[in-house]
């Protein structure tokens, strides 16, 4: 009898343990995208990759002078893989990249898994980048894997090319575990851990959101190619992601009538109860305009007073916690109340004269200010530009313009 009870108890524990494990798996990760081996011919017809919405992601194929990837039938041992996205090398100047956009997430663990093979290990065939949402410039690049930049090796890039493992032409299963808050990623190949804590190309604040995968071919030999399939993106549950539309897109200056714009992304529909918006420490949440309310909310606070400095703090909450962003911006459309600059230094102290590499940012490193001043004899004035701030405590460098009046030896307030 005791033995029978023991067996029953073991079975119950096994069942409850299985249920608990499945529940934990459901809670710990959420599916963002699964290519399902590109088997769906309606979504992925053979031939040129099309712009398509699948799961929570959208494919944006290369356009203009760049060549998009192709959906092709492939051979694989045991027919485990039948279709793949193929990236051809063209030896042309344009960077041939396809983007997979997904809802921005921040402060999470983002996992990107896929199967890939290359036609040759001896030249560059494939790049896979995790990036900032909707952006394409190098400053938006985070975790990077590159096949064949160093002939015969898989590499990553953290400001320099770093070899990881030797390459071959066999199908391999890759898993990039990207720690968004820490600016690092881990890599597994065929189930084995290759490296942990790998660095990114750029470093970002911990609350930065990411929402784009770049799959590309660049600087390779014409005719070489790489195939990628079984692409899957998951993330750990996170607080809502906050993306600033302004002022970052406009360099710190905001049009008072356009107002302050931002977006919030979450798994569940958002309401004002989930959001708090403070402007110069005053709660103005009730005055927000929500132009779209779903798992993606676009919010605006307008109008703003002219010629003022603001600090905005955005707080968004869900069952997984709270996220926040704080940013300073300005609504100056006219003149500011004086001439103020910022002292720049690398912190390399070298004796009684201070830092060896430092200067006032108003006119230093003037390759970005050409010309800095122009004399106009018709009005006897010298017009000039410089880098300045709006108050002594501000640290956001703005482009200022003014002039010197030679007749009365005066300058107006800068714009």
């Amino acid at each position: 009898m005791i033995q029978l009870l023991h067996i029953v108890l073991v079975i119950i524990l096994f069942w409850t343990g299985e249920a608990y494990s499945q529940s934990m798996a459901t809670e710990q990760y959420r599916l963002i995208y699964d290519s399902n081996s590109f088997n769906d011919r309606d979504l992925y017809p053979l031939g040129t990759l099309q712009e398509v919405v699948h799961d929570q992601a959208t494919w944006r194929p290369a356009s203009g002078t760049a060549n998009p990837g192709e959906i092709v039938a492939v051979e694989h041992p045991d027919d485990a893989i039948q279709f793949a996205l193929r990236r051809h090398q063209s030896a042309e100047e344009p960077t041939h990249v396809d983007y997979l956009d997904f809802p921005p997430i921040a402060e999470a663990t983002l996992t990107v898994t896929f199967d890939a093979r290359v036609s040759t290990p001896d030249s560059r065939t494939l790049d896979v980048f995790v990036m900032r949402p909707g952006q394409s410039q190098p400053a938006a690049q985070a975790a990077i894997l590159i096949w064949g930049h160093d002939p015969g090796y898989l590499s990553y890039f953290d400001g320099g090319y770093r070899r990881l493992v030797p390459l071959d032409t066999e199908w391999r299963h890759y898993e990039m575990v990207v720690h968004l808050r820490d600016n690092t990623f881990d890599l597994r190949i065929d189930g084995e851990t290759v490296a942990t804590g790998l660095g990114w190309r750029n470093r970002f604040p911990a609350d930065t959101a990411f929402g784009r995968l770049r799959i590309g071919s660049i600087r390779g030999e014409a005719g070489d190619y790489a195939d990628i399939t079984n692409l899957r993106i998951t993330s750990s549950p996170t607080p809502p992601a906050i993306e600033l539309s302004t002022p970052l897109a406009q360099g710190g200056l905001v049009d008072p009538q356009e107002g302050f714009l931002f977006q919030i992304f979450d798994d569940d529909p958002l309401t004002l109860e989930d959001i708090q918006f403070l402007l110069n420490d005053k709660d103005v949440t009730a005055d927000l305009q929500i132009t779209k309310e779903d798992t993606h909310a676009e919010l605006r606070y307008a109008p703003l007073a002219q010629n003022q400095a603001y600090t905005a703090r955005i707080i968004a909450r869900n069952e997984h916690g709270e996220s926040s962003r704080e940013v300073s911006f300005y609504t100056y459309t006219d003149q500011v109340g004086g001439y103020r600059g910022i002292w720049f230094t690398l912190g390399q102290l070298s004796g009684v004269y201070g830092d060896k590499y430092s200067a006032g940012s108003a006119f230093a490193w003037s390759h970005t200010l050409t010309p800095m001043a122009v004399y106009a004899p018709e009005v006897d004035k010298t017009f000039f530009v410089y880098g300045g701030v709006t108050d002594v405590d501000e640290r956001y460098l703005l482009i200022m313009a003014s002039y010197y009046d030679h007749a009365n030896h005066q300058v107006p307030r800068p714009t």
Side-chain angles (χ1 to χ4, degrees), residues 3 5 23 34 36 38 87 92 105 143 154 163 172 174 185 197 214 230 252 305 312 314 319 330 354 382 394-395 410:
Q3 290 179 337
L5 287 174
S23 172
D34 188 346
N36 293 320
F38 299 106
R87 286 281 0 162
E92 297 173 353
I105 61 171
L154 175 70
R163 289 182 176 181
R172 301 294 177 191
Y174 297 87
F185 75 104
R214 172 183 134 158
N230 291 327
I314 307 162
E319 61 180 350
Y330 312 91
T382 295
E394 295 292 340
R395 296 292 300 170
Q410 291 183 341

Side-chain angles (χ1 to χ4, degrees), residues 110-301:
L110 181 72
T111 302
V112 181
T113 62
F114 53 91
D115 294 309
R117 70 171 179 183
V118 295
S119 62
T120 174
D122 296 325
S123 69
R124 188 165 177 169
T125 51
L126 180 65
D127 303 341
V128 175
F129 294 13
V130 174
M131 301 185 66
R132 296 273 290 118
Q135 300 185 31
S136 58
Q137 66 272 27
Q141 297 170 0
I144 296 176
L145 282 180
I146 301 174
W147 283 252
H149 170 81
D150 277 351
Y153 285 90
L154 175 70
S155 304
Y156 74 102
F157 186 82
D158 63 355
Y161 293 95
R162 319 289 183 190
R163 289 182 176 181
L164 285 167
V165 292
L167 280 177
D168 56 32
T169 58
E170 300 298 317
W171 282 102
R172 301 294 177 191
H173 183 70
Y174 297 87
E175 184 175 358
M176 298 173 66
V177 182
V178 187
H179 307 290
L180 301 183
R181 184 177 182 84
D182 299 332
N183 286 216
T184 63
F185 75 104
D186 308 330
L187 178 65
R188 299 188 185 102
I189 301 177
D190 294 336
E192 299 292 330
T193 299
V194 170
T196 60
L198 300 174
W200 296 0
R201 176 169 189 159
N202 301 288
R203 292 199 61 81
F204 300 89
D207 55 7
T208 303
F210 297 85
R212 169 166 274 193
L213 192 69
R214 172 183 134 158
I215 299 175
S217 52
I218 179 175
R219 304 192 187 109
E221 300 294 329
D224 291 344
Y225 64 89
D227 292 333
I228 184 169
T229 192
N230 291 327
L231 176 60
R232 196 167 189 266
I233 303 175
T234 60
S235 82
S236 57
T238 64
I242 301 169
E243 268 292 284
L244 301 177
S245 301
T246 55
L248 298 186
Q250 299 180 19
L253 287 174
V254 172
D255 184 315
Q257 295 304 311
E258 181 73 9
F260 182 85
L261 310 176
F262 61 99
Q263 302 177 72
I264 299 179
F265 298 83
D266 197 9
D267 285 343
D268 299 313
L270 290 155
T271 66
L272 275 181
E273 286 71 28
D274 304 316
I275 302 163
Q276 188 175 14
F277 182 64
L278 293 90
L279 204 58
N280 289 350
D281 295 325
K282 180 182 178 182
D283 192 328
V284 293
T285 308
D287 298 322
L288 285 171
Q289 306 165 26
I290 302 182
T291 57
K292 179 182 179 182
E293 187 172 349
D294 197 1
T295 56
H296 167 212
E298 299 175 348
L299 304 103
R300 177 195 310 267
Y301 183 87

Side-chain angles (χ1 to χ4, degrees), residues 362-379:
F363 293 105
W365 302 286
S366 57
H367 65 283
T368 57
L369 299 170
T370 307
M372 288 193 297
V374 176
Y375 175 65
E378 298 86 351
V379 292

Side-chain angles (χ1 to χ4, degrees), residues 21-94:
S21 298
Q22 291 175 6
S23 172
M24 287 295 290
T26 301
E27 290 178 2
Q28 288 178 351
Y29 292 96
R30 63 186 179 99
L31 176 67
I32 297 173
Y33 171 77
D34 188 346
S35 71
N36 293 320
S37 304
F38 299 106
N39 284 331
D40 191 325
R41 295 282 68 78
D42 292 330
L43 292 174
Y44 305 107
L46 293 177
T48 302
L49 176 67
Q50 304 296 309
E51 181 167 323
V52 64
V53 178
H54 184 183
D55 294 331
Q56 299 181 56
T58 302
W59 279 103
R60 305 197 186 279
S63 59
T65 58
N67 300 321
E70 290 183 277
I71 303 298
V72 299
V74 297
E75 294 181 358
H76 185 276
D78 303 323
D79 293 325
I81 296 173
Q82 296 181 341
F83 302 98
L85 172 66
R86 177 165 292 179
R87 286 281 0 162
H88 285 282
Q89 289 287 351
S90 67
E92 297 173 353
E93 184 61 28

Side-chain angles (χ1 to χ4, degrees), residues 335 339 372 374 382-386 400-404 410-415:
Q335 297 169 319
Y339 293 79
M372 288 193 297
V374 176
T382 295
F383 296 86
F384 61 91
V385 293
Y386 70 98
M400 301 289 195
S402 189
Y403 62 86
Y404 172 68
Q410 291 183 341
V411 292
R413 291 181 178 182
T415 299

